[in-house]
């Protein structure tokens, strides 16, 4: 387990140094909640009070009691991470700890950056904002783990995706008019545009609504063939407006 108290070092002063400090602490906290999560979970003892999760500038993490110094040398992490553990689902509890960890990281960065001027602080927090949060990193790791089997079947997945895309383009390119060779004309009605009521014409571009299953001239709903290629699920204007009113 990579848990060790970082040696005392001078407080970072420049934008680059503060960002490096933030990034190292963030990396430590992400590792505590992902790679080392079992160790972290075990150290949150409900019998102990006011435990904190610390991320240090050397990339290590620690679960410990809050610092005794008054005032502390920097903002303290959220207290009591051990209390709610037994009453929550583990995933929800880890997410809550991640949110508090993100808040602490920003507090520490602002603590060090308080002496910067406005432009420097803007640059610092712009750099910080380009990084994924601890919560986002936790969610992304779970997503990757849940889809691990998809990596092994990536070739097959691409083939299925390509086939689905071709099917969608085919469906959006023309109405499903029934072949007269198999059914009588009396058993189906002619396909009419849901906007203008015009009859189907094979020389014109049509698109079908995936909600109401009506068909429309592309020009009536302002959809071109090129635009239709990028639409996975088309909703006609009527269906779109109905959803907006709900």
């Amino acid at each position: 387990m990579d848990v060790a108290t970082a040696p005392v070092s001078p407080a970072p002063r420049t934008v680059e140094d503060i960002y490096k400090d933030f990034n190292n602490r963030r990396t430590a906290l992400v590792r505590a909640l992902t790679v080392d999560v079992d160790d972290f979970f075990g150290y949150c003892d409900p019998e102990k009070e006011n435990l904190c999760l610390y991320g240090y500038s050397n990339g290590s993490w620690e679960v410990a009691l809050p610092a005794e110094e008054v005032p502390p040398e920097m903002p303290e992490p959220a207290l009591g991470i051990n209390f709610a553990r037994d009453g929550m689902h583990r995933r929800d509890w880890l997410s809550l700890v991640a949110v508090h960890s993100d808040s602490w990281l920003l507090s520490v960065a602002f603590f060090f950056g308080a002496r910067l001027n406005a432009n420097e602080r803007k640059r610092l927090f712009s750099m910080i904002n380009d990084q994924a949060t601890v919560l986002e990193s936790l969610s992304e790791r779970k997503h990757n783990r849940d889809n691990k089997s998809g990596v092994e079947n990536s070739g097959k997945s691409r083939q299925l995706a390509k086939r689905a895309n071709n099917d969608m383009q085919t469906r959006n390119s023309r109405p499903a008019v029934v072949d007269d060779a198999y059914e009588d004309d009396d058993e189906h009605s002619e396909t009419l545009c849901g906007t203008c009521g015009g009859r189907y014409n094979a020389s014109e571009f049509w698109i079908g609504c995936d909600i109401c299953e009506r068909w429309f001239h592309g020009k009536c709903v302002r959809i071109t063939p090129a635009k239709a290629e990028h639409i996975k699920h088309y909703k006609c204007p009527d269906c779109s407006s109905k959803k907006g009113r709900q």
Side-chain angles (χ1 to χ4, degrees):
M1 180 177 64
D2 188 9
V3 181
T5 302
V8 177
S9 58
R13 298 291 185 180
T14 68
V15 170
E16 289 72 20
D17 287 343
I18 296 173
Y19 173 72
K20 181 179 179 181
D21 179 271
F22 166 88
N23 197 40
N24 289 344
R25 294 177 189 275
R26 171 191 163 278
T27 299
L29 295 177
V30 169
R31 184 165 62 250
L33 297 179
T34 55
V35 178
D36 300 337
V37 64
D38 291 333
D39 292 329
F40 167 65
F41 191 80
Y43 272 83
C44 293
D45 186 352
E47 299 300 322
K48 295 182 180 179
E49 297 182 356
N50 296 330
L51 291 176
C52 300
L53 170 61
Y54 290 88
Y56 294 117
S57 57
N58 68 347
S60 65
W61 62 269
E62 181 183 27
V63 170
L65 293 170
E68 295 181 358
E69 294 88 349
V70 180
E73 61 181 5
M74 67 178 64
E76 288 284 357
L79 301 178
I81 59 174
N82 48 318
F83 291 143
R85 188 190 71 179
D86 293 336
M88 296 181 66
H89 190 282
R90 173 164 162 158
R91 179 182 60 186
D92 296 334
W93 177 76
L94 289 173
S95 296
L96 181 63
V97 174
V99 170
H100 285 298
S101 297
D102 282 318
S103 299
W104 177 70
L105 286 171
L106 290 175
S107 297
V108 172
F110 197 89
F111 178 83
F112 289 138
R115 296 179 179 85
L116 300 175
N117 61 43
N119 289 332
E120 289 173 330
R121 286 196 305 272
K122 182 177 180 180
R123 184 160 66 92
L124 170 64
F125 284 96
S126 177
M127 294 165 65
I128 289 175
N129 197 49
D130 287 337
Q131 283 277 19
T133 64
V134 176
L135 180 61
E136 288 171 341
S137 299
L138 180 65
S139 301
E140 180 65 20
R141 183 176 179 85
K142 179 181 181 300
H143 174 76
N144 290 339
R145 183 174 63 250
D146 292 343
N147 291 281
K148 184 177 180 180
S149 60
V151 175
E152 299 174 355
N153 298 320
S154 59
K156 183 177 180 180
S157 298
R158 285 194 294 269
Q159 292 177 2
L160 292 175
K162 183 177 181 180
R163 182 184 304 172
N165 185 52
N166 290 337
D167 290 344
M168 181 61 66
Q169 291 181 17
T170 301
R171 181 180 178 185
N172 287 345
S173 65
R174 63 180 186 279
V177 179
V178 180
D179 193 338
D180 292 340
Y182 294 95
E183 294 192 26
D184 295 331
D185 291 342
D186 294 338
E187 294 180 2
H188 68 277
S189 59
E190 291 182 320
T191 301
L192 303 178
C193 175
T195 298
C196 69
R199 295 181 179 180
Y200 170 67
N201 186 331
S203 64
E204 297 178 300
F205 171 73
W206 287 61
I207 187 168
C209 176
D210 289 302
I211 306 300
C212 66
E213 298 186 349
R214 291 184 299 166
W215 288 89
F216 303 85
H217 288 112
K219 61 183 180 182
C220 290
V221 291
R222 298 182 179 180
I223 300 294
T224 64
K227 187 175 181 179
E229 291 181 1
H230 301 285
I231 300 176
K232 293 182 179 179
H233 300 287
Y234 174 68
K235 288 190 295 185
C236 69
D238 288 343
C239 292
S240 297
S241 61
K242 288 179 182 177
K243 182 178 180 180
R245 292 195 295 267
Q246 293 177 351

mmCIF file of all heavy atoms in Angstrom, residues 6-7 36 39 62 78-79 87 109 123 155 185 187-188 191 196 199 225 232 237:
data_model
loop_
_atom_site.group_PDB
_atom_site.id
_atom_site.type_symbol
_atom_site.label_atom_id
_atom_site.label_comp_id
_atom_site.label_asym_id
_atom_site.label_seq_id
_atom_site.Cartn_x
_atom_site.Cartn_y
_atom_site.Cartn_z
ATOM 1 N N ALA A 6 4.008 12.821 3.552
ATOM 2 C CA ALA A 6 4.974 13.534 2.722
ATOM 3 C C ALA A 6 5.888 14.381 3.584
ATOM 4 O O ALA A 6 5.483 14.925 4.608
ATOM 5 C CB ALA A 6 4.246 14.420 1.718
ATOM 6 N N PRO A 7 7.151 14.496 3.203
ATOM 7 C CA PRO A 7 8.067 15.363 3.954
ATOM 8 C C PRO A 7 7.657 16.819 3.825
ATOM 9 O O PRO A 7 7.028 17.223 2.844
ATOM 10 C CB PRO A 7 9.410 15.106 3.258
ATOM 11 C CG PRO A 7 9.053 14.647 1.881
ATOM 12 C CD PRO A 7 7.792 13.857 2.047
ATOM 13 N N ASP A 36 -6.037 1.391 -5.031
ATOM 14 C CA ASP A 36 -5.845 0.995 -3.635
ATOM 15 C C ASP A 36 -7.141 1.027 -2.835
ATOM 16 O O ASP A 36 -7.112 1.153 -1.606
ATOM 17 C CB ASP A 36 -4.817 1.922 -2.970
ATOM 18 C CG ASP A 36 -3.462 1.887 -3.657
ATOM 19 O OD1 ASP A 36 -3.167 0.878 -4.326
ATOM 20 O OD2 ASP A 36 -2.698 2.864 -3.532
ATOM 21 N N ASP A 39 -7.586 -1.217 0.329
ATOM 22 C CA ASP A 39 -6.793 -0.741 1.455
ATOM 23 C C ASP A 39 -7.430 0.496 2.078
ATOM 24 O O ASP A 39 -7.534 0.622 3.303
ATOM 25 C CB ASP A 39 -5.367 -0.415 1.007
ATOM 26 C CG ASP A 39 -4.592 -1.669 0.613
ATOM 27 O OD1 ASP A 39 -4.872 -2.736 1.188
ATOM 28 O OD2 ASP A 39 -3.722 -1.577 -0.268
ATOM 29 N N GLU A 62 -2.938 9.001 2.511
ATOM 30 C CA GLU A 62 -2.981 8.503 3.872
ATOM 31 C C GLU A 62 -4.366 8.733 4.465
ATOM 32 O O GLU A 62 -5.019 9.741 4.185
ATOM 33 C CB GLU A 62 -1.930 9.215 4.729
ATOM 34 C CG GLU A 62 -1.895 8.738 6.172
ATOM 35 C CD GLU A 62 -0.892 9.507 7.009
ATOM 36 O OE1 GLU A 62 -0.611 10.677 6.657
ATOM 37 O OE2 GLU A 62 -0.402 8.948 8.010
ATOM 38 N N ALA A 78 -12.266 16.665 4.148
ATOM 39 C CA ALA A 78 -13.556 16.441 4.808
ATOM 40 C C ALA A 78 -13.382 15.457 5.962
ATOM 41 O O ALA A 78 -12.710 14.437 5.833
ATOM 42 C CB ALA A 78 -14.576 15.904 3.817
ATOM 43 N N LEU A 79 -13.966 15.774 7.106
ATOM 44 C CA LEU A 79 -13.860 14.916 8.275
ATOM 45 C C LEU A 79 -14.920 13.829 8.253
ATOM 46 O O LEU A 79 -15.951 13.941 7.596
ATOM 47 C CB LEU A 79 -14.020 15.753 9.548
ATOM 48 C CG LEU A 79 -13.010 16.886 9.744
ATOM 49 C CD1 LEU A 79 -13.319 17.642 11.022
ATOM 50 C CD2 LEU A 79 -11.593 16.363 9.794
ATOM 51 N N GLY A 87 -23.454 2.756 6.399
ATOM 52 C CA GLY A 87 -24.853 3.014 6.091
ATOM 53 C C GLY A 87 -25.120 3.303 4.630
ATOM 54 O O GLY A 87 -26.248 3.637 4.260
ATOM 55 N N ALA A 109 -5.470 24.362 -3.568
ATOM 56 C CA ALA A 109 -4.911 25.133 -4.680
ATOM 57 C C ALA A 109 -5.166 26.629 -4.495
ATOM 58 O O ALA A 109 -4.281 27.461 -4.745
ATOM 59 C CB ALA A 109 -5.504 24.646 -6.003
ATOM 60 N N ARG A 123 -5.143 31.594 -15.003
ATOM 61 C CA ARG A 123 -4.354 30.592 -15.722
ATOM 62 C C ARG A 123 -4.246 29.298 -14.919
ATOM 63 O O ARG A 123 -4.359 28.199 -15.466
ATOM 64 C CB ARG A 123 -2.961 31.157 -16.034
ATOM 65 C CG ARG A 123 -2.090 30.221 -16.857
ATOM 66 C CD ARG A 123 -0.970 30.993 -17.522
ATOM 67 N NE ARG A 123 -0.021 31.537 -16.562
ATOM 68 C CZ ARG A 123 1.082 30.882 -16.180
ATOM 69 N NH1 ARG A 123 1.342 29.674 -16.672
ATOM 70 N NH2 ARG A 123 1.911 31.434 -15.323
ATOM 71 N N GLY A 155 -13.186 -5.710 -32.746
ATOM 72 C CA GLY A 155 -13.394 -5.888 -34.182
ATOM 73 C C GLY A 155 -14.835 -6.204 -34.491
ATOM 74 O O GLY A 155 -15.446 -5.634 -35.396
ATOM 75 N N ASP A 185 -52.678 -4.521 -53.172
ATOM 76 C CA ASP A 185 -52.750 -3.087 -52.894
ATOM 77 C C ASP A 185 -53.779 -2.771 -51.837
ATOM 78 O O ASP A 185 -53.660 -1.770 -51.113
ATOM 79 C CB ASP A 185 -53.074 -2.322 -54.184
ATOM 80 C CG ASP A 185 -51.918 -2.352 -55.168
ATOM 81 O OD1 ASP A 185 -50.790 -2.649 -54.731
ATOM 82 O OD2 ASP A 185 -52.163 -2.087 -56.364
ATOM 83 N N GLU A 187 -54.326 -4.241 -49.143
ATOM 84 C CA GLU A 187 -53.886 -4.578 -47.792
ATOM 85 C C GLU A 187 -52.936 -3.542 -47.212
ATOM 86 O O GLU A 187 -52.469 -3.694 -46.085
ATOM 87 C CB GLU A 187 -53.203 -5.953 -47.799
ATOM 88 C CG GLU A 187 -54.165 -7.083 -48.125
ATOM 89 C CD GLU A 187 -53.469 -8.424 -48.122
ATOM 90 O OE1 GLU A 187 -52.252 -8.450 -47.822
ATOM 91 O OE2 GLU A 187 -54.110 -9.436 -48.406
ATOM 92 N N HIS A 188 -52.596 -2.511 -47.965
ATOM 93 C CA HIS A 188 -51.762 -1.446 -47.426
ATOM 94 C C HIS A 188 -52.094 -0.152 -48.129
ATOM 95 O O HIS A 188 -52.540 -0.143 -49.268
ATOM 96 C CB HIS A 188 -50.278 -1.770 -47.584
ATOM 97 C CG HIS A 188 -49.815 -1.770 -49.010
ATOM 98 N ND1 HIS A 188 -49.968 -2.844 -49.834
ATOM 99 C CD2 HIS A 188 -49.203 -0.802 -49.747
ATOM 100 C CE1 HIS A 188 -49.467 -2.561 -51.029
ATOM 101 N NE2 HIS A 188 -49.000 -1.327 -50.999
ATOM 102 N N THR A 191 -47.822 5.397 -48.930
ATOM 103 C CA THR A 191 -47.068 6.190 -47.964
ATOM 104 C C THR A 191 -47.217 7.664 -48.308
ATOM 105 O O THR A 191 -46.941 8.085 -49.426
ATOM 106 C CB THR A 191 -45.587 5.795 -47.988
ATOM 107 O OG1 THR A 191 -45.476 4.407 -47.686
ATOM 108 C CG2 THR A 191 -44.800 6.599 -46.972
ATOM 109 N N CYS A 196 -46.737 17.395 -45.592
ATOM 110 C CA CYS A 196 -47.505 17.970 -46.689
ATOM 111 C C CYS A 196 -48.582 17.030 -47.224
ATOM 112 O O CYS A 196 -49.437 17.455 -48.004
ATOM 113 C CB CYS A 196 -46.580 18.398 -47.829
ATOM 114 S SG CYS A 196 -45.809 17.006 -48.711
ATOM 115 N N ARG A 199 -47.655 12.114 -51.822
ATOM 116 C CA ARG A 199 -47.397 10.690 -51.973
ATOM 117 C C ARG A 199 -45.911 10.415 -52.149
ATOM 118 O O ARG A 199 -45.150 11.275 -52.572
ATOM 119 C CB ARG A 199 -48.171 10.145 -53.166
ATOM 120 C CG ARG A 199 -49.683 10.209 -52.998
ATOM 121 C CD ARG A 199 -50.390 9.633 -54.211
ATOM 122 N NE ARG A 199 -51.828 9.670 -54.062
ATOM 123 C CZ ARG A 199 -52.690 9.229 -54.985
ATOM 124 N NH1 ARG A 199 -52.227 8.731 -56.123
ATOM 125 N NH2 ARG A 199 -53.989 9.290 -54.763
ATOM 126 N N PRO A 225 -29.917 14.424 -47.124
ATOM 127 C CA PRO A 225 -29.294 13.096 -47.014
ATOM 128 C C PRO A 225 -27.992 13.128 -46.231
ATOM 129 O O PRO A 225 -27.709 12.225 -45.455
ATOM 130 C CB PRO A 225 -29.067 12.697 -48.478
ATOM 131 C CG PRO A 225 -30.124 13.433 -49.241
ATOM 132 C CD PRO A 225 -30.274 14.750 -48.524
ATOM 133 N N LYS A 232 -28.764 9.319 -35.461
ATOM 134 C CA LYS A 232 -28.963 7.933 -35.034
ATOM 135 C C LYS A 232 -30.442 7.617 -34.846
ATOM 136 O O LYS A 232 -30.910 6.547 -35.232
ATOM 137 C CB LYS A 232 -28.205 7.682 -33.727
ATOM 138 C CG LYS A 232 -26.702 7.752 -33.875
ATOM 139 C CD LYS A 232 -26.025 7.446 -32.558
ATOM 140 C CE LYS A 232 -24.505 7.480 -32.696
ATOM 141 N NZ LYS A 232 -23.824 7.195 -31.410
ATOM 142 N N PRO A 237 -40.713 16.879 -36.095
ATOM 143 C CA PRO A 237 -41.034 18.090 -35.334
ATOM 144 C C PRO A 237 -42.168 17.900 -34.340
ATOM 145 O O PRO A 237 -42.117 18.419 -33.226
ATOM 146 C CB PRO A 237 -41.399 19.103 -36.432
ATOM 147 C CG PRO A 237 -40.617 18.654 -37.629
ATOM 148 C CD PRO A 237 -40.622 17.155 -37.561
#
